[in-house]
Amino acid sequence: MSLNAVAAISLDLDDTLWPFAPSVARAESALQAWLVAHAPKTAARLSAPRALALLRDEYEAAHPELVGDYRALRLGSITEVLASVGEDTALTQPAYDAFYAARNDVEFFEDVLPALTWLGARFPLVAVTNGNADLALTGGGEFFMGALSARQFGAAKPDAAIFHAAARMASVLPSDMLHVGDDFDLDVVGATNAGLQAAWLVRRHDGADISVPSRAGTHVTVSCLLNLCALLGRRDGS
C-alpha cells in the first residue's frame, strides 16, 4: 500500500515511542520501596516476586467495571494492600504519586526523538493512548499539539470516536490523518475502521517474517519511525 496525502499524524505512546514493560517494572519497584519505607507492615505482602503486579491484576479481576482505568486500578490495589495489613489508607495517594512519577520515567526508542523532530516540523501531531502516560512528564510533549487518553476522553482504541476526536483536534478529515501504533487490533484495525490511514510499527530485529492478520485494513508496515519519515519524505520530495 502507498499512503494518500497525509495532513496530520496521530501516534500511540507505549511500545511506540518507548518500551512499556521496563517503565512499569521500574514504577512497581519504586512503589514497593515507597510502601516498605512509609508503611512497613506492607513488606510481608510484597515479598513475593511481582507482588504488586499480581495484586493489581487480582483487584482488576474483582472490579471489571474499572478495566482500562489504570489509575483507578492502581489506586484501588494500593488501598487494598494498605488496609489488609492495618496501615493508614491515607497513604494511597502519595504512594501512587511515587509510582506515577516512575511510570513516566521512560526511555525513548533510539529513532523516536529524531523522527518526532522531522514529523513535528511537517505535520500536526496528536498522541492517542489507552494508557496513562503524560507527555508533560515523559518528555517529548513539545512535538505534539495535543493528546487524547482513553480515561480522559471516555472512549478507548479501537473505538472510532477517539480517532475522530484526534482528527478534529488537528482540524483535518479522518481520511487525511495517519495513525501510527504497534498494536494491530487497537491501532491499525481501529484506525482504518474509523476511516484513517494507518502505519503498523513492528520493531522486530530477529529476522522473522511478519504475518499480517487476515482482518487487516489497508495500511503500511514500518520497522521504526525513521522508516516512516523516509516513506513520507519520498511522497513530498523532502
Side-chain angles (χ1 to χ4, degrees), residues 137-219:
L137 300 175
T138 62
E142 67 272 19
F143 299 108
F144 291 83
M145 64 172 297
L148 291 167
S149 72
R151 185 179 74 85
Q152 294 171 331
F153 178 68
K157 297 178 295 182
D159 192 313
I162 196 166
F163 293 107
H164 291 163
R168 288 194 300 272
M169 183 177 285
S171 299
V172 299
L173 294 173
S175 59
D176 294 332
M177 189 161 212
L178 172 68
H179 179 71
V180 185
D182 69 288
D183 188 293
F184 192 85
D185 289 311
L186 299 183
D187 293 308
V188 175
V189 176
T192 54
N193 283 348
L196 281 70
Q197 302 178 67
W200 187 24
L201 179 60
V202 186
R203 296 181 179 278
R204 294 189 61 169
H205 304 288
D206 56 10
D209 290 335
I210 300 168
S211 59
V212 178
S214 59
R215 61 191 178 282
T218 304
H219 67 282

Side-chain angles (χ1 to χ4, degrees), residues 22-170:
S23 69
V24 173
R26 286 192 297 271
E28 288 181 339
S29 293
L31 174 57
Q32 180 162 342
W34 194 97
L35 286 170
V36 171
H38 296 86
K41 285 186 282 186
T42 61
R45 290 216 54 193
L46 303 179
S47 59
R50 299 189 66 250
L52 283 167
L54 294 172
L55 289 167
R56 180 216 169 276
D57 291 347
E58 290 172 6
Y59 188 84
E60 180 176 8
H63 298 274
E65 73 281 4
L66 296 178
V67 171
D69 190 338
Y70 302 109
R71 181 178 185 275
L73 290 169
R74 188 65 67 173
L75 286 167
S77 63
I78 293 170
T79 298
E80 194 166 86
V81 170
L82 290 166
S84 71
V85 295
E87 290 281 10
D88 186 357
T89 57
L91 295 172
T92 296
Q93 186 61 54
Y96 178 80
D97 292 343
F99 169 86
Y100 192 61
R103 184 262 185 274
N104 284 286
D105 182 15
V106 301
E107 296 181 4
F108 288 92
F109 290 113
E110 184 177 7
D111 58 292
V112 168
L113 295 180
L116 290 179
T117 300
W118 191 92
L119 293 169
R122 292 164 175 79
F123 304 97
L125 304 182
V126 178
V128 179
T129 179
N130 285 1
N132 64 346
D134 185 342
L135 286 169
L137 300 175
T138 62
E142 67 272 19
F143 299 108
F144 291 83
M145 64 172 297
L148 291 167
S149 72
R151 185 179 74 85
Q152 294 171 331
F153 178 68
K157 297 178 295 182
D159 192 313
I162 196 166
F163 293 107
H164 291 163
R168 288 194 300 272
M169 183 177 285

